[in-house]
Amino acid sequence: MSTLETDRKVNRSQMKVSDKVAIEIRKMNKWYGQFHVLRDIDLTVYEGERIVIAGPSGSGKSTLIRCINRLEEHQSGQIIVDGIELSSDLKNIDKVRSEVGMVFQHFNLFPHLTILENCTLAPIWVRKIPRKQAEETAMHFLEKVKIPEQAHKYPGQLSGGQQQRVAIARSLCMMPRIMLFDEPTSALDPEMIKEVLDTMIELAEEGMTMLVVTHEMGFAQQVANRVIFMDAGQIVEQNEPTEFFNNPKSERTKLFLSQIL
Amino acid sequence: MTDLSFVRTEMLPERAPPPSTTGVIGWLRKNLFDGWLNSALTIVSLLFVFWVLDHLFVWGISPTWSDGSLDQCRTTISEAGWGGACWGVIRERWPQMLYGFYPEELRIRPTLAFFLLFIALIPVLFSMISRRMNWLLLALVLLAFTFAVESSGLIIAARVVLAAAALWIGVLLVRVPTGEEREEQIKQGAGRLPNPLWFTALYIFLMPWLLWGGTVWTPVAVALGIVIGGLAFRLLSPMTGTLAALIVAVVATILWWLLLSGPFADMMHGIFPIGLEPVKSRLFGGLMLSITIGVVAIAVSLPLGIVLALGRQSDLLIVKYLSVIFIEFIRGVPLITLLFVASVLLNIFMPPGTNFDIILRVIIMATIFSAAYMAEVIRGGLAALPKGQYEAADALGLDYWKAQRLVIMPQALKISIPGIVSTFIGLFKDTTLVSIIGLMDPIGLSNAIRADANWNGIVWELYGFIALMFFIFTFSMSRYSMYLERRLRTDHR
Ligand SMILES: Nc1ncnc2c1ncn2[C@@H]1O[C@H](COP(=O)(O)OP(=O)(O)O)[C@@H](O)[C@H]1O
Ligand SMILES: [Mg+2]
């Protein structure tokens, strides 16, 4: 069985799951036209949870986490984030989006802005924080992801791993309470995967609520408190990681694990 | 079976490339004489270029500068035994080619407007010129022009003030720190001086006033319309949302312009009669007319094109279809047709007695014509942006307008620079079509000049001169666009 792609020791002392609900999804369904991508999703995420979502390609993992910050619209059921229900009300959507950070597979940094400007854009224009203060916050988070010296470069001048760490810092600058990761390491070379995972582990150690779609099963084992397996738009199995990996219940999960491990 | 194992014991040092592939010889060999076919083509092309230049040169340096008519010019050429062009026509008529029939004693006004145009454009086009330099240039240009007009008490006072201002800014400029601190200062905006974009904004109202003259209260009234729209937007947008506020603001502005701005200007002029001698649009002509139409249409068609491109992509069905219909209709009609509409038909639809300026009508047509093309060029830029950019902006909580302004448009416009500038260049050249509806642009004037018995039959010299004037402007635009692309390049490929 694979281990974490990093030699870093994971400190779980701060990783505490509270009993406060961060995200509540009830009987949520989504269609792309006629195609039923998400079927009766029920999921409650508590504050401080680190949930890894796994599953074969096309099973709807991305769609699920994109529904949580309304990059995709669901057609039935409820999604309540931090007490705010996602409906077509634009005000609510913007509120949820500024509370929920998202990291994409392809980083999606703004190439026309410097690293620092990438990190200060939303705080200045959405949170209305004065530029100076926003820059200080941005530098703080860039130091945290260990690239403060790149602040005045453009994204195109950075390696993939560095760009993904900037993307994480950019989300953190909005002080989100929840972070969503959609395959954050899938577009990276092996040696860069480690630096991004390290950053994510650090975040987990500080108690951030995280939903991570990933194929890094080492990360799931050592950092997650819950692993969700999805197939064909449904949650097929969920469990705490040791049980999930050592003792999978469903045939689909067993097949999936045998293929990737 | 052979042994496949291999271990390098020693790393190879870096070596210089063979001499025949570098330097002048290498370059010549690679680019001009690569094989016998290429060599032959090179030689033939060189001979051809030489032949053309030789003929052009003899034709061009013709000793006919001082001749006053075509006959006189032909005599000069046959006496000299060489030459070809009759440059006398240019010497005699160049002021007309530049200004048309604009009254001679007032030509200082369009000239001033032209120079101020550059000052107004500098802060828009270039980022590396400091505010101080910009204001200094403005003061110097104005000072220079005070010497071109008749001296009076007021003018002398203006000279003193401008000279003092230039000196003051000049001293500030000399004291500018160098190196990093200077960059920082340029970025911060040189402290004490206002942003030169204020002058650019002022220029929008100053230019028509200088060209057409009349009471100063007309441009003031027009500017007030914008202020009213801006205030309406400020007040309403927190309550009604951006789009509704925008619509109300635009309607308020248009209503003001149509109904109240005229009476307001008349009233104010009655109280404080300040103004320049009015000049009729019919007298406008030459390059000045082309530049007036071109500059205004260029400046307005870009924002209009952006709005149309966004409209075309909008989720609001009505906005979307209005934009599509507008774009497709305007693009489907030749500019000539629109110009005829402007010159003939528009008057039929106007309430009788309204005097809607012909140049304004032409400008409106040229603007909407190029705005339709601009919209498609920008739509191409928008389509080239990866979906991830929209998603990242959304995920950060930026609303539609902020995402467009801060993330999408800067990138889409950057991608579209070559197309946008091509549209600008096309538009500027298309201004010559106004000769067909009887306006005296350079082409129209060249016909008028040929109607003079002295110059009946002259063609190449006039067209060459016009071509040169247009080339200077279009080539500058093209070079500028390349400079801009280089400046905005952040991908470091
Ligand atoms: N915008 C879309 N329109 C139509 N179908 C889509 C769209 N996005 C994704 N899909 C389909 O929905 C399914 C789930 O996609 P996705 O959530 O991206 O899967 P995963 O992330 O698990 O690989 C896939 O079959 C995919 O083809
Ligand atoms: Mg996916």
Side-chain angles (χ1 to χ4, degrees):
Chain A
M1 191 170 281
S2 80
T3 50
L4 193 52
E5 287 264 0
T6 154
D7 34 19
R8 194 175 177 294
K9 272 266 174 305
V10 178
N11 170 9
R12 302 185 71 114
S13 67
Q14 293 285 312
M15 299 188 187
K16 287 203 193 78
V17 177
S18 99
D19 52 4
K20 271 201 272 171
V21 175
I23 303 170
E24 170 99 60
I25 301 178
R26 286 192 215 125
K27 279 244 170 288
M28 190 264 279
N29 282 277
K30 169 160 184 66
W31 288 262
Y32 283 124
Q34 290 296 313
F35 175 50
H36 198 174
V37 253
L38 292 178
R39 310 180 188 178
D40 284 350
I41 302 286
D42 279 300
L43 176 65
T44 306
V45 179
Y46 295 93
E47 275 181 20
E49 278 205 280
R50 290 91 42 209
I51 298 181
V52 162
I53 304 173
S57 170
S59 55
K61 309 178 295 290
S62 302
T63 310
L64 172 60
I65 67 167
R66 289 157 60 86
C67 281
I68 294 173
N69 67 352
R70 194 63 168 203
L71 287 184
E72 300 289 353
E73 194 178 333
H74 60 281
Q75 276 88 33
S76 80
Q78 278 183 310
I79 302 178
I80 301 163
V81 181
D82 236 357
I84 306 165
E85 172 162 7
L86 282 172
S87 58
S88 50
D89 186 344
L90 286 175
K91 284 234 166 61
N92 280 354
I93 295 176
D94 283 337
K95 218 186 241 145
V96 165
R97 281 175 178 168
S98 56
E99 299 299 330
V100 178
M102 178 140 187
V103 176
F104 301 86
Q105 180 176 357
H106 295 288
F107 332 132
N108 296 352
L109 294 178
F110 304 133
H112 63 300
L113 300 176
T114 63
I115 300 306
L116 190 64
E117 288 165 343
N118 264 279
C119 293
T120 55
L121 186 78
I124 290 174
W125 291 93
V126 179
R127 290 241 192 273
K128 313 274 184 217
I129 292 172
R131 174 176 299 275
K132 214 147 185 116
Q133 197 185 330
E135 282 179 357
E136 278 164 21
T137 315
M139 285 315 289
H140 167 76
F141 283 112
L142 286 174
E143 260 157 49
K144 211 169 130 83
V145 302
K146 306 200 176 55
I147 28 181
E149 69 284 356
Q150 316 280 8
H152 295 286
K153 289 193 180 163
Y154 286 93
Q157 292 165 287
L158 269 54
S159 74
Q162 289 173 323
Q163 290 192 45
Q164 193 60 297
R165 283 183 284 151
V166 171
I168 295 174
R170 177 176 73 176
S171 291
L172 293 178
C173 285
M174 286 294 279
M175 308 286 185
R177 298 157 62 92
I178 301 165
M179 286 285 287
L180 309 173
F181 292 84
D182 190 0
E183 306 204 22
T185 55
S186 301
L188 298 177
D189 292 340
E191 70 247 58
M192 295 172 183
I193 291 180
K194 176 181 168 331
E195 54 189 52
V196 172
L197 287 181
D198 279 348
T199 308
M200 290 167 62
I201 293 170
E202 205 167 303
L203 209 56
E205 286 172 345
E206 287 166 13
M208 177 66 82
T209 311
M210 296 163 74
L211 267 83
V212 185
V213 174
T214 185
H215 298 298
E216 297 294 332
M217 289 304 139
F219 178 83
Q221 282 166 337
Q222 297 191 37
V223 181
N225 69 311
R226 173 150 54 135
V227 181
I228 292 178
F229 175 67
M230 283 186 72
D231 195 10
Q234 299 150 61
I235 296 181
V236 174
E237 184 166 351
Q238 52 176 317
N239 214 331
E240 51 97 16
T242 352
E243 269 299 289
F244 180 85
F245 287 108
N246 297 333
N247 198 3
K249 306 280 188 307
S250 125
E251 284 310 313
R252 288 170 180 275
T253 318
K254 284 179 195 160
L255 182 68
F256 176 72
L257 286 177
S258 72
Q259 278 165 350
I260 63 160
L261 294 180
Chain B
M1 178 135 180
T2 49
D3 187 8
L4 289 173
S5 86
F6 165 78
V7 178
R8 184 175 289 289
T9 48
E10 200 181 349
M11 300 308 275
L12 296 175
E14 204 171 284
R15 281 176 307 216
S20 64
T21 61
T22 58
V24 179
I25 305 223
W27 186 87
L28 281 178
R29 189 177 283 180
K30 180 156 167 277
N31 292 298
L32 296 177
F33 299 100
D34 181 19
W36 67 267
L37 181 64
N38 262 357
S39 308
L41 281 177
T42 300
I43 290 166
V44 170
S45 317
L46 283 178
L47 286 175
F48 180 71
V49 169
F50 177 76
W51 180 80
V52 169
L53 284 182
D54 183 43
H55 280 71
L56 212 58
F57 186 71
V58 172
W59 180 81
I61 58 156
S62 173
T64 50
W65 188 247
S66 47
D67 297 333
S69 74
L70 199 55
D71 292 337
Q72 211 179 339
C73 158
R74 294 213 169 113
T75 324
T76 314
I77 290 173
S78 62
E79 273 168 14
W82 57 280
C86 290
W87 293 123
V89 66
I90 305 297
R91 178 192 52 76
E92 192 184 294
R93 298 301 183 103
W94 71 264
Q96 204 182 11
M97 296 291 268
L98 294 187
Y99 298 100
F101 298 103
Y102 204 93
E104 249 167 77
E105 68 283 3
L106 300 179
R107 282 181 185 170
I108 185 87
R109 274 161 39 186
T111 316
L112 177 62
F114 181 71
F115 279 93
L116 291 183
L117 173 66
F118 286 97
I119 309 273
L121 281 180
I122 285 172
V124 180
L125 299 184
F126 303 100
S127 64
M128 78 284 189
I129 289 187
S130 70
R131 287 183 181 200
R132 292 194 177 104
M133 189 61 105
N134 215 164
W135 288 112
L136 179 65
L137 281 174
L138 177 62
L140 289 178
V141 166
L142 289 176
L143 186 61
F145 272 83
T146 58
F147 287 97
V149 292
E150 227 174 294
S151 188
S152 72
L154 200 65
I155 291 294
I156 291 174
R159 272 178 210 161
V160 173
V161 170
L162 286 168
L167 205 66
W168 177 60
I169 306 170
V171 169
L172 283 182
L173 195 66
V174 173
R175 295 219 321 260
V176 169
T178 50
E180 213 158 280
E181 219 178 315
R182 179 188 148 80
E183 301 247 306
E184 188 57 26
Q185 277 216 3
I186 290 180
K187 222 156 119 203
Q188 304 269 327
R192 271 162 290 191
L193 290 171
N195 191 329
L197 284 172
W198 284 109
F199 175 71
T200 310
L202 177 70
Y203 182 79
I204 294 170
F205 304 99
L206 186 63
M207 184 195 83
W209 185 54
L210 281 174
L211 292 182
W212 276 275
T215 169
V216 73
W217 295 105
T218 306
V220 171
V222 172
L224 260 179
I226 305 231
V227 173
I228 289 170
L231 280 181
F233 181 77
R234 274 272 177 84
L235 282 177
L236 285 177
S237 64
M239 289 185 283
T240 60
T242 311
L243 188 63
L246 200 66
I247 293 171
V248 173
V250 169
V251 170
T253 304
I254 291 177
L255 281 182
W256 164 266
W257 283 345
L258 288 182
L259 301 176
L260 293 173
S261 70
F264 170 83
D266 287 346
M267 185 193 78
M268 291 307 287
H269 190 71
I271 307 171
F272 305 105
I274 311 169
L276 295 171
E277 193 176 320
V279 178
K280 288 244 159 35
S281 285
R282 283 276 159 221
L283 300 178
F284 279 47
L287 190 64
M288 177 196 125
L289 179 64
S290 303
I291 292 179
T292 307
I293 299 172
V295 165
V296 178
I298 282 175
V300 181
S301 67
L302 182 61
L304 196 58
I306 293 176
V307 171
L308 285 171
L310 289 179
R312 193 167 189 162
Q313 296 214 319
S314 171
D315 294 333
L316 306 169
L317 226 55
I318 297 188
V319 173
K320 178 177 169 152
Y321 283 110
L322 282 180
S323 310
V324 171
I325 291 170
F326 182 89
I327 292 170
E328 296 301 340
F329 177 73
I330 299 292
R331 281 204 313 164
V333 177
L335 180 56
I336 286 285
T337 317
L338 294 178
L339 291 178
F340 275 122
V341 170
S343 90
V344 187
L345 280 179
L346 227 49
N347 263 359
I348 299 175
F349 294 119
M350 285 306 202
T354 38
N355 182 16
F356 196 14
D357 187 274
I358 176 71
I359 294 183
L360 189 59
R361 279 182 273 163
V362 165
I363 286 178
I364 291 175
M365 287 304 173
T367 305
I368 61 175
F369 184 74
S370 64
Y373 280 88
M374 195 65 72
E376 287 300 280
V377 167
I378 293 168
R379 190 168 68 96
L382 287 170
L385 277 197
K387 206 163 145 258
Q389 292 292 309
Y390 292 87
E391 290 177 351
D394 283 347
L396 285 168
L398 295 167
D399 63 28
Y400 175 83
W401 299 99
K402 283 179 191 145
Q404 287 296 343
R405 179 152 66 98
L406 302 167
V407 176
I408 306 301
M409 270 306 150
Q411 296 186 65
L413 290 179
K414 188 176 100 180
I415 300 173
S416 322
I417 289 172
I420 292 174
V421 175
S422 291
T423 311
F424 283 168
I425 290 176
L427 169 62
F428 185 56
K429 291 188 298 181
D430 282 351
T431 57
T432 52
L433 289 176
V434 300
S435 59
I436 292 187
I437 56 166
L439 292 184
M440 285 297 164
D441 85 305
I443 300 284
L445 279 172
S446 76
N447 293 334
I449 291 170
R450 262 194 302 278
D452 180 343
N454 280 341
W455 299 110
N456 195 342
I458 196 155
V459 179
W460 292 104
E461 294 77 356
L462 288 175
Y463 286 152
F465 183 66
I466 295 169
L468 181 69
M469 293 194 298
F470 273 87
F471 181 75
I472 291 172
F473 285 94
T474 53
F475 188 64
S476 319
M477 284 192 244
S478 145
R479 297 310 297 186
Y480 174 75
S481 90
M482 290 166 114
Y483 152 82
L484 194 62
E485 276 180 70
R486 234 178 305 121
R487 191 180 94 195
L488 297 180
R489 187 153 66 206
T490 56
D491 53 358
H492 307 277
R493 264 177 299 188

